Amino acid sequence: MGSPYLVSVRLMVYNHEAYIREAIEGILKQKTTFPIEVVVGDDFSTDNSLAIISEYENTPHIHFKILERKVGEDYWQNRQKIGRLHNFYNILENCSGKYIALLDGDDHWTDPYKLQKQVDFLEKNSDFSICFHNLE
């Protein structure tokens, strides 16, 4: 059986305490006809980023998956060898959606139909494998 999520949001975080609420609120405001998975990869922030993210609860429409990471364990050891891009790849490996939307913890979405528009386009245009939009 496949994933129940059509879209996974790859939320990459490192010391984004000042911005993370706005990033998450932009996800929660998404109006879609499908459920969304938010895969959070915090790269050992030294601020309150992870605590803030943990305050948010799943909704019937949006599921948060916070990757468990501890100093000394596998992720940490590989992070030491590969560097900060390991966070990017590791989050992608944990996404289960047909499509993956990229969002960093210091960015946010302003259009509540962003994901719906992009999925609609990709579903109608199977010859495309990626899409994007203007940004401010």
Side-chain angles (χ1 to χ4, degrees):
M1 185 171 147
S3 169
Y5 305 107
L6 191 56
V7 173
S8 294
V9 176
R10 185 238 46 179
L11 182 56
M12 193 162 75
V13 179
Y14 179 73
N15 285 347
H16 292 143
E17 177 179 5
Y19 315 101
I20 195 66
R21 285 188 197 284
E22 199 168 10
I24 293 173
E25 292 300 325
I27 297 168
L28 292 172
K29 289 178 184 172
Q30 291 300 299
K31 297 181 186 318
T32 63
T33 59
F34 48 83
I36 299 167
E37 169 188 53
V38 180
V39 182
V40 180
D42 178 75
D43 204 21
F44 301 103
S45 292
T46 57
D47 65 5
N48 290 316
S49 294
L50 196 53
I52 293 168
I53 295 165
S54 297
E55 293 173 10
Y56 289 87
E57 296 182 5
N58 294 334
T59 72
H61 200 63
I62 297 174
H63 174 77
F64 288 92
K65 178 180 177 181
I66 301 173
L67 302 178
E68 292 289 325
R69 297 172 170 174
K70 294 186 175 28
V71 173
E73 292 184 346
D74 286 346
Y75 173 83
W76 184 84
Q77 290 176 14
N78 289 326
R79 167 67 170 86
Q80 301 311 302
K81 295 175 198 169
I82 299 169
R84 66 186 175 132
L85 279 179
H86 182 55
N87 191 21
F88 184 93
Y89 298 125
N90 182 253
I91 302 169
L92 291 180
E93 291 170 348
N94 283 279
C95 290
S96 64
K98 178 178 180 180
Y99 302 111
I100 300 174
L102 304 179
L103 180 63
D104 292 337
D106 59 350
D107 294 329
H108 66 276
W109 296 333
T110 57
D111 182 351
Y113 296 98
K114 171 202 167 24
L115 293 179
Q116 187 67 57
K117 289 176 188 176
Q118 291 180 319
V119 166
D120 288 348
F121 175 83
L122 290 169
E123 289 288 293
K124 290 176 185 163
N125 296 280
S126 60
D127 51 329
F128 284 80
S129 59
I130 189 171
C131 66
F132 57 93
H133 56 81
N134 291 333
L135 58 102
E136 295 176 25

